[in-house]
Amino acid sequence: MTTTHWLFGDQLGPHFLTPGPDGPDHDSPVVMIEARSVFRRRRFHRAKAHLLLSAMRHRAAELGDRVRYVKADTYREGLREAVGSAPVTVHHPTSRAALRLVRSLDGVRVLPARGFLVAHEDFRAWADGQAGERLRQEDFYRWVRRGHDLLMNGAEPAGGRWNHDHDNRRPPPAHARTLDVPPPYRPRENDVDDEVRHDLDRWERTGEITFVGRDGPRLFPASRREARAALRRFVADRLAGFGPYEDAMLTEDPVLSHSLLSSSLNLGLLEPIECVDLAEQAWRRGDAPINSVEGFVRQIAGWREYVWQLYWHFGEDYRRHNALRHHAPLPDWFLELDADAVTARCLATVLAQVRDTGWTHHIPRLMLLGNHALQRGWDPAAVTDWFHRCFVDGYDWVMLPNVVGMSQYADGGRMTTKPYTSGGAYVNRMSDFCRPCAYRPTVRVGEDACPFTAGYWAFLHRHRSRLERNARMAQAVRGLGRLTDLDELLEQERQRGDEPP
Ligand code: FAD
């Protein structure tokens, strides 16, 4: 009997159909299922729903007669409708829920995961060999570099150093409103997008499904061709400047030199190896400096791989961790992406970016959105859900380590050595947000007190006993003793409550 291969919506590149012992049969028929229940379960950003459906439908159009594309309520129903009880193969899905589902279905054989550099069993062997409680991302990254011969000169790291962070992470150039780089690749919409928009409008009109955020022109690739064009354009125009301003934020230039490739990687339109290979070639040709290329390779071969592996390594319970016992619900203004309600210019700017595009770069996610949630004591599971729903590149596997671990410290330090939190001084140094803001980054009490500065001290106070035992936080906690206005500050923060800052 013919075996059909099932493609999930984040398995859209050609590498998911490469035949072999660990892959589908040669020329096997393909099934794709658009399950409406996915959109009913969570209130997604509309631009994200648009991108996902557009990418799936673009792939179906490419596969032509080879694919049976089913619109169903659930995956289970869709699969039954498409293949009945015939045998099916599927590559290891990217979420625990989807893995449970495919394992529970008769006749479905689960093949190894694709779309990542490191196989699960290789990671397990590496993790078993590590000393100490915490798996160090830097050690993992160097192991991946060696194992895949990435940016290496023999046994040595190319450029003589493993880590070029020292040359990266600069504040934005003084007085610059934008970085002087060509604009990023943006796709052109086509009739597939028209059809998707028509469907989304209909679902919203009938009240069947609701979304958050705005669905402007599609900004991210929905096909392999578009994703390759975006990658090539990034390497040609922006990679050289990627490193120095990786952590900078500019009001009028949300993208700076970032690649905007996360959604393409996470939809499976690009393979990580082709991204890092092209970057390395640019360095070898002399087209991009080592600090930028190493910084980019670190993001993909280091961070992205590490996060993927940790999702499985940390286990099912990880999503429920709440080490800081934060239980406050997310306020409506945040849930609704109501940037206009916010006075703090930094938060208003990035919340508007999320509302309008479903994307903002790493530092606004970590040091503004996540930092604010942490300081306010919002429930980490609800914060995780918010990021998952509102970002075009958000998936369960990437959300949990990044939000529960890195951003909310809800795992008590399994992923990072200390909570990522800061006051307004950091935002002021790394951005142009503060100058025209109604709040002053140096002020912690009073009408013009910066919400991040006041929030920082209130957070340290709230978790004083835990944080003073952390070598990397102890000095900051001692700073609390020098605050003569701490009581006033705490009362101010209590009164501010959940009001938009
Ligand atoms: P670049 O800055 O150009 O980096 C290149 C690539 O590196 C990215 O495309 C991405 O694939 C990868 N990468 C870098 N850091 C990470 C990381 N920590 N985890 C996974 N991949 C990484 N990334 C997502 O892909 N999806 C998410 O939903 C997501 N949510 C995040 C939530 C929080 C709170 C934080 C702190 C980080 C999150 N990240 C997420 C990681 C990172 O912020 C985004 O990958 C990045 O901002 C995407 O923009 P870019 O493609 O321009 O990335």
Side-chain angles (χ1 to χ4, degrees), residues 207-226:
E208 185 185 354
I209 293 173
T210 57
F211 298 103
V212 66
R214 296 181 182 166
D215 181 19
R218 175 166 61 79
L219 295 175
F220 298 92
S223 67
R224 168 82 183 156
R225 191 185 54 74
E226 291 179 352

Side-chain angles (χ1 to χ4, degrees), residues 25-38:
D25 294 344
H26 195 71
D27 282 339
S28 60
V30 171
V31 61
M32 295 175 74
I33 304 164
E34 211 178 275
R36 196 91 62 91
S37 56
V38 170

Side-chain angles (χ1 to χ4, degrees), residues 86-99:
V88 168
T89 54
V90 64
H91 279 296
H92 189 297
T94 60
S95 76
R96 285 181 177 277
L99 183 63

Side-chain angles (χ1 to χ4, degrees), residues 387-410:
F387 272 103
H388 186 149
R389 294 186 295 103
C390 295
F391 280 76
V392 287
D393 52 16
Y395 293 84
D396 202 48
W397 67 268
V398 70
M399 244 47 275
L400 288 188
N402 271 310
V403 184
V404 174
M406 192 186 300
S407 160
Q408 299 301 297
Y409 200 70

